[in-house]
Amino acid sequence: MAAQHLMVVGAHISDAENMAGAVMLKHKKAGWDITIVHMTAGEKGHPTLSPEEYIKMRHADAQASAAFIGANVEILPYKDAELQVTEEAAWMVADLIRKYRPDVIITHWHGSFHPDHNNTHEIVRKSLFKASLPAFKRDLPPHSIRALLYSENWEDMENYSADVYLDVSDVFEDYLKLLKTHALMRERYASFRYYDYYEALGTVRGALGGFDKAVTLMHQPSMYSYDRESGLLLK
Ligand SMILES: [Zn+2]
């Protein structure tokens, strides 16, 4: 059987890693292929560096974190805080789905106070149809995913529902190392305490889920698939 493939689509570089880094590490360890798609670089998020300077650091961090996981990485050319739900953006993602052929996609829940996060959610939802319909003739053949899930992100918590608790105890140390491949977490220049939040969240979710460390996911009801026995996303 061919390896399963997990794609994580984040709005800004390090969103995918924050919210689904432990899930990616867990599934990589189980033999899955992993692809990360960053819709923007998040280049406007530094308190002193200009976007032109900061984007170089962000791209380097994205490459380092993908290498740490052993993941493919794609950085789309959209601008931080200016991402719009357009046909062009949906086709960008759809063509990546046709290229990598993921079984599962994880992205942002739309209950976010950050418009880029909500727009990423909408773009991914639109892209699934463009990826799967044979009537759309593209360079690559159509592809349908098997499950769509949303991950827990401190900015996206409005009406978020923790439907699945994944045991990530055995990859949690690596997850913390992964977070530190990003200057955002390593140098702590943001007003929000990203590293402390996600480290503590693993413990809180672990306590609630009956594991040492856990992460939660929210499912798209019509496309949900989770195997309780293996603790992985698909049977
Ligand atoms: Zn973000």
Side-chain angles (χ1 to χ4, degrees):
M1 191 172 143
Q4 309 262 30
H5 198 134
L6 168 64
M7 175 181 277
V8 180
V9 185
H12 311 103
I13 286 171
S14 78
D15 275 319
E17 295 91 330
N18 289 341
M19 66 191 191
V23 181
M24 289 191 274
L25 288 164
K26 178 185 173 92
H27 286 77
K28 181 71 187 181
K29 204 171 170 183
W32 289 42
D33 293 323
I34 312 288
T35 297
I36 305 171
V37 179
H38 303 293
M39 297 302 299
T40 82
E43 71 278 4
K44 294 192 181 81
H46 198 281
T48 53
L49 291 179
S50 71
E52 294 73 27
E53 289 172 296
Y54 189 38
I55 196 168
K56 294 177 202 149
M57 195 192 290
R58 299 237 84 194
H59 278 242
D61 290 351
Q63 296 296 341
S65 64
F68 186 90
I69 298 168
N72 310 300
V73 60
E74 299 277 353
I75 305 172
L76 299 190
Y78 297 106
K79 289 200 166 88
D80 185 10
E82 299 178 39
L83 182 65
Q84 300 293 322
V85 182
T86 62
E87 288 294 296
E88 184 207 62
W91 275 119
M92 282 259 193
V93 176
D95 284 337
L96 291 175
I97 294 170
R98 287 181 180 227
K99 176 181 174 185
Y100 290 106
R101 312 186 74 74
D103 299 281
V104 180
I105 292 181
I106 294 175
T107 191
H108 294 272
W109 171 235
H110 65 61
S112 184
F113 59 79
H114 200 311
D116 287 353
H117 289 206
N118 289 330
N119 290 343
T120 296
H121 175 98
E122 297 303 331
I123 289 164
V124 170
R125 295 292 297 270
K126 277 170 81 83
S127 74
L128 297 181
F129 291 96
K130 297 183 187 311
S132 65
L133 289 178
F136 286 126
K137 300 295 179 204
R138 306 291 285 180
D139 291 343
L140 294 166
H143 177 73
S144 299
I145 66 166
R146 293 166 62 198
L148 174 66
L149 297 116
Y150 308 117
S151 53
E152 184 166 359
N153 183 308
W154 75 278
E155 289 167 289
D156 307 344
M157 295 309 286
E158 192 177 320
N159 296 323
Y160 175 82
S161 161
D163 297 328
V164 182
Y165 284 76
L166 281 187
D167 179 3
V168 294
S169 308
D170 63 342
V171 294
F172 205 77
E173 284 304 312
D174 277 346
Y175 169 62
L176 296 179
K177 286 181 200 155
L178 172 69
L179 294 184
K180 288 194 168 177
T181 60
H182 292 272
L184 181 66
M185 263 74 73
R186 209 169 49 237
E187 298 175 13
R188 296 168 178 261
Y189 47 74
S191 54
F192 184 77
R193 291 162 59 193
Y194 286 91
Y195 183 87
D196 294 343
Y197 178 87
Y198 285 102
E199 182 184 33
L201 186 64
T203 303
V204 169
R205 290 310 196 179
L208 290 170
F211 304 112
D212 182 21
K213 307 288 182 188
V215 296
T216 74
L217 294 163
M218 177 174 183
H219 59 77
Q220 178 67 27
S222 54
M223 300 179 72
Y224 173 55
S225 187
Y226 168 62
D227 179 40
R228 281 184 187 280
E229 212 164 291
S230 65
L232 296 171
L233 290 175
L234 288 172
K235 195 147 189 144

